[in-house]
Amino acid sequence: MNQKYIAIFLAVIMVMSILPFFFTGNSNQANGDSSSLEAASFDSIPGKHVDYELNSIEDGLAVTAEDAVAVQYFDFQAISGTPLELITGNTSQLDGIYGAQVTKMYRAQYLNGTELSMHEISPEVVAFQYYLAPELYNGYQLLSRGNNVYNVVGEPMMFGEKAQLESALDAIEGEAAPNTEFGRILEFVEPGAEIQQLIVVDDGFADQYYFGLNLEDESTLSRTTVYLNPTEGTMNNVTSLAANSSERALSYDVYSEDDILKVTVTSDVSNFYSLAMEPAW
């Protein structure tokens, strides 16, 4: 794997690649333009509404089925107006799905190609076209958006294929076990990062990889990467980067044990681009 293929580009690619999932397929009344619709309250939708705390990638994984190969979490509201906002770029298309601003996003991609997303929106309104599914699921009303994609209303909004939505609703109701496949790597992840992602690496620099960006305060940024079973090449590259990091005004904290390598790189906010361009392996 090319060392210059930096993790920050992965974050950009992953957040923007969500858009084709929302907008491909045959256009129809259920998923058409919401700009001319009159917004209605959540109470206009029958059945139970989602009531679940979404503040981290761990919260998302707790309702994600097994066989997820890539998951990500973005707190758009928290990074608004900060250098971290540069990573997400223009999210207006994402907002257009709901006719409201998406303030947080969690997304899981599965081995079989299906996906699950959760979004907190503001204001909390229904300002999009949909069809009511003929039956409730566990008391929840699914809203068809066309192309085999559904919403479930609440905080957060849930979005995805029916099977993955039903699995997540089962977990919220305590009727399904949480995802455990990233359990080992998450032992070394502290809460608080506004941007987080986890991926299963296919024949690469490690078996699993965690990436997190955190605005620690108004003047300090940190990037944390955690590797499960890193390769010797990854270990050597991190050691070399840490050795001369002061030349780039970066501070390294490297920890390793058995199957884990954890690297936290800290920088002044004014040195954001140096941190962004720093290779991760």
Side-chain angles (χ1 to χ4, degrees):
M1 180 69 67
N2 190 327
Q3 183 180 341
K4 294 182 180 178
Y5 187 4
I6 59 173
I8 201 152
F9 285 172
L10 281 177
V12 176
I13 291 167
M14 289 184 71
V15 71
M16 297 314 295
S17 67
I18 195 170
L19 299 176
F21 170 64
F22 290 136
F23 294 106
T24 54
N26 295 327
S27 176
N28 59 34
Q29 189 177 11
N31 61 353
D33 181 17
S34 61
S35 60
S36 62
L37 292 178
E38 183 176 345
S41 70
F42 282 1
D43 290 339
S44 65
I45 304 300
K48 294 192 292 186
H49 297 164
V50 177
D51 182 11
Y52 183 73
E53 191 170 290
L54 180 62
N55 292 318
S56 68
I57 204 167
E58 292 93 334
D59 291 338
L61 281 168
V63 297
T64 299
E66 297 293 333
D67 293 328
V69 295
V71 294
Q72 59 183 166
Y73 168 82
F74 288 83
D75 189 335
F76 296 119
Q77 187 172 48
I79 66 176
S80 178
T82 75
L84 296 184
E85 189 174 20
L86 297 173
I87 294 173
T88 62
N90 188 344
T91 60
S92 59
Q93 282 187 293
L94 191 59
D95 299 340
I97 297 166
Y98 295 105
Q101 183 179 14
V102 175
T103 58
K104 288 182 184 178
M105 179 186 79
Y106 170 82
R107 180 197 186 196
Q109 298 168 283
Y110 296 91
L111 189 62
N112 63 3
T114 59
E115 304 189 11
L116 166 72
S117 295
M118 294 188 286
H119 305 104
E120 290 191 5
I121 64 173
S122 178
E124 294 183 344
V125 294
V126 180
F128 52 85
Q129 295 179 335
Y130 61 87
Y131 298 117
L132 292 176
E135 296 179 356
L136 299 180
Y137 180 80
N138 213 351
Y140 294 90
Q141 176 67 63
L142 272 64
L143 310 180
S144 173
R145 304 293 301 275
N147 304 321
N148 196 35
V149 176
Y150 295 82
N151 268 123
V152 181
V153 166
E155 187 179 357
M157 301 287 287
M158 303 187 73
F159 189 95
E161 287 96 334
K162 186 176 181 181
Q164 299 300 351
L165 287 181
E166 291 177 350
S167 176
L169 291 172
D170 288 343
I172 288 174
E173 293 294 317
E175 299 173 2
N179 183 296
T180 59
E181 58 196 313
F182 295 105
R184 173 61 175 163
I185 202 168
L186 286 174
E187 291 177 19
F188 300 87
V189 174
E190 290 84 18
E194 292 88 359
I195 296 176
Q196 299 178 289
Q197 71 174 26
L198 269 166
I199 59 173
V200 176
V201 181
D202 185 15
D203 190 26
F205 52 91
D207 289 344
Q208 293 179 359
Y209 170 71
Y210 168 84
F211 170 92
L213 281 172
N214 185 25
L215 187 64
E216 295 187 358
D217 53 45
E218 292 183 357
S219 61
T220 308
L221 287 168
S222 68
R223 185 192 76 185
T224 297
T225 51
V226 186
Y227 312 77
L228 177 67
N229 294 321
T231 64
E232 183 177 354
T234 298
M235 300 279 287
N236 292 337
N237 288 340
V238 167
T239 300
S240 296
L241 289 164
N244 60 8
S245 59
S246 60
E247 299 174 5
R248 301 180 298 282
L250 300 173
S251 175
Y252 265 70
D253 182 11
V254 180
Y255 172 82
S256 64
E257 69 169 60
D258 300 328
D259 55 348
I260 290 290
L261 172 64
K262 178 178 180 179
V263 183
T264 301
V265 186
T266 306
S267 169
D268 187 90
V269 168
S270 62
N271 195 37
F272 168 71
Y273 287 104
S274 182
L275 176 65
M277 297 304 294
E278 183 76 352
W281 60 82

